[in-house]
Amino acid sequence: MNNFSYKRAGSIRDALVQAGTGEHTSYIAGGTNLVDLMKYNLTRPDLLIDLNRVDDHHAIFETPEGGLMLGAFATNADTAWHPLVEARYPLLSRAILAGASAQIRNMATNGGNLLQRTRCYYFYDANVPCNKREPGSGCSAIAGYNRIMAILGASESCIAVFPSDMCVALAALRAMVHVEGREGRRRIAFADFHRLPEDTPELDNNLLPGEIITGIELPPNGFANNYSYLKLRDRNSYAFALVSVATGLELEGDVIREARIALGGVAHKPWRVSGAEEFLAGKTATPENFAHAADIILQGAAGYQHNAFKIELAKRAIVRNSMMALKPETQLPGAQPSA
């Protein structure tokens, strides 16, 4: 780890002033990923600004529009177990509890969850080329061991995937991200927050330099009656998803009024295809219709030597998770399939 200066901020405005225009300044709250990146010498801030003493943006509260605001500095654990989240957004609660260990969830913050960096093996190995770590150096994963890598939205520059479970549910829920920067406050639709790699894989999201996430707004509809989160991984604990699926359904009898499906572990960002959700609207909730929606979602998917299996895995996961969403009470803890 390199030497760095450390300061504490008492407010968002204070943090922005202290950060100034510094290119090598980082903010820290939970720090569960940032500290690892610093230890690996992948992130080398000259100045670290601690946001933990900022009083605002820790709370979770109802919005005037009937939704819910998640403070950016609330921990993942407090969010997952919050009574309003459990009752109205159980899909989000299950997704958070499927990620990491209890110890990490007790420390990690909501804002930080959105800013995680990929767990691509080659990104963390400073001895091999990686365009995300060192732009222009190449992508070792394309011809390397790419079992966990992307099958959708990848580019010749990068096939890394985004690791968050929480963000897959937030994508399905159509959350809004609240940020504040030197130019003021703004809201970013969740679908526009993270980026595909294209030819700038070093950029994970569309935050402007210096901007700080202050909250995540959930719309009123949390799909509390019909939802499911399924995470498929190589082992049941402390593993990132090979494929994960967040599904929310609004039903009238056995007819789908509205559907939301988001995938994790398959792309540089949580993956949603509105055409598949539009196809399901007005259809009966059958495996055949969910399978057709899965085909739409996976259109254009391309595998590499070690991860082509993820295409069929994702299709089957979509169907299974959609059927589980019809009876969410049958789901087992930890984002496991129904009994």
Side-chain angles (χ1 to χ4, degrees):
M1 185 179 287
N2 295 281
N3 293 329
F4 58 90
S5 297
Y6 171 85
K7 294 182 178 179
R8 288 171 173 158
S11 67
I12 294 295
R13 185 54 49 185
D14 181 27
L16 293 171
V17 170
Q18 291 196 55
T21 57
E23 295 182 3
H24 301 291
T25 297
S26 292
Y27 303 114
I28 186 169
T32 53
N33 188 206
L34 176 61
V35 173
D36 280 345
L37 294 168
M38 293 172 68
K39 288 178 179 177
Y40 278 97
N41 203 27
L42 301 176
T43 299
R44 296 178 286 275
D46 294 331
L47 171 61
L48 201 61
I49 298 177
D50 190 339
L51 302 175
N52 283 294
R53 293 194 177 182
V54 174
D55 290 334
D56 297 333
H57 313 300
H58 289 262
I60 295 173
F61 57 90
E62 293 181 282
T63 66
E65 294 76 23
L68 205 65
M69 180 66 77
L70 311 176
F73 305 136
T75 67
N76 285 179
D78 286 344
T79 303
W81 297 116
H82 194 283
L84 289 174
V85 176
E86 287 189 285
R88 294 175 51 187
Y89 304 92
L91 172 61
L92 176 61
S93 180
R94 285 185 64 87
I96 293 174
L97 294 175
S101 64
Q103 291 88 346
I104 290 176
R105 293 195 297 267
N106 285 336
M107 191 69 189
T109 63
N110 291 334
N113 197 301
L114 274 60
L115 302 177
Q116 293 183 71
R117 305 221 68 188
T118 182
R119 264 57 173 193
C120 173
Y121 325 118
Y122 302 101
F123 174 73
Y124 282 85
D125 185 350
N127 296 311
V128 301
C130 170
N131 286 323
K132 180 175 282 296
R133 171 170 33 80
E134 188 175 343
S137 63
C139 175
S140 298
I142 291 177
Y145 186 61
N146 41 44
R147 177 176 171 79
I148 66 169
M149 305 303 175
I151 55 173
L152 289 162
S155 74
E156 294 181 354
S157 296
C158 181
I159 61 172
V161 298
F162 182 64
S164 170
D165 289 288
M166 177 182 183
C167 289
V168 183
L170 291 175
L173 292 169
R174 291 184 185 168
M176 298 289 293
V177 184
H178 290 234
V179 306
E180 185 169 347
R182 291 188 292 272
E183 305 302 321
R185 299 173 181 172
R186 66 186 180 115
R187 301 162 73 231
I188 307 171
F190 202 82
D192 299 327
F193 184 83
H194 295 102
R195 299 167 56 100
L196 293 178
E198 299 179 344
D199 58 355
T200 54
E202 70 275 17
L203 301 176
D204 293 333
N205 56 63
N206 288 310
L207 283 177
L208 299 175
E211 279 189 323
I212 300 171
I213 298 173
T214 57
I216 302 164
E217 182 181 352
L218 303 177
N221 187 358
F223 298 92
N225 294 323
N226 294 103
Y227 65 89
S228 182
Y229 185 72
L230 177 63
K231 181 176 182 178
L232 303 176
R233 45 194 157 175
D234 282 328
R235 62 178 189 273
N236 277 340
S237 62
Y238 315 132
F240 294 96
L242 289 169
V243 171
S244 63
V245 190
T247 302
L249 300 173
E250 283 286 333
L251 299 173
E252 289 182 359
D254 62 351
V255 176
I256 301 167
R257 190 173 69 184
E258 184 176 6
R260 304 274 182 80
I261 300 173
L263 297 183
V266 298
H268 206 251
K269 59 185 290 187
W271 193 263
R272 270 189 64 221
V273 176
S274 58
E277 297 169 354
E278 292 165 1
F279 164 79
L280 287 171
K283 303 289 195 309
T284 52
T286 64
E288 292 75 17
N289 282 330
F290 291 131
H292 189 85
D295 287 338
I296 296 173
I297 293 171
L298 272 296
Q299 279 180 0
Y304 297 84
Q305 182 179 2
H306 302 285
N307 75 342
F309 72 96
K310 292 174 75 172
I311 299 173
E312 183 62 25
L313 182 68
K315 291 181 179 179
R316 296 186 184 194
I318 290 168
V319 176
R320 176 144 195 186
N321 198 51
S322 299
M323 295 305 294
M324 290 197 299
L326 303 178
K327 296 181 178 179
E329 69 278 5
T330 66
Q331 295 166 40
L332 300 175
Q336 296 302 300
S338 301

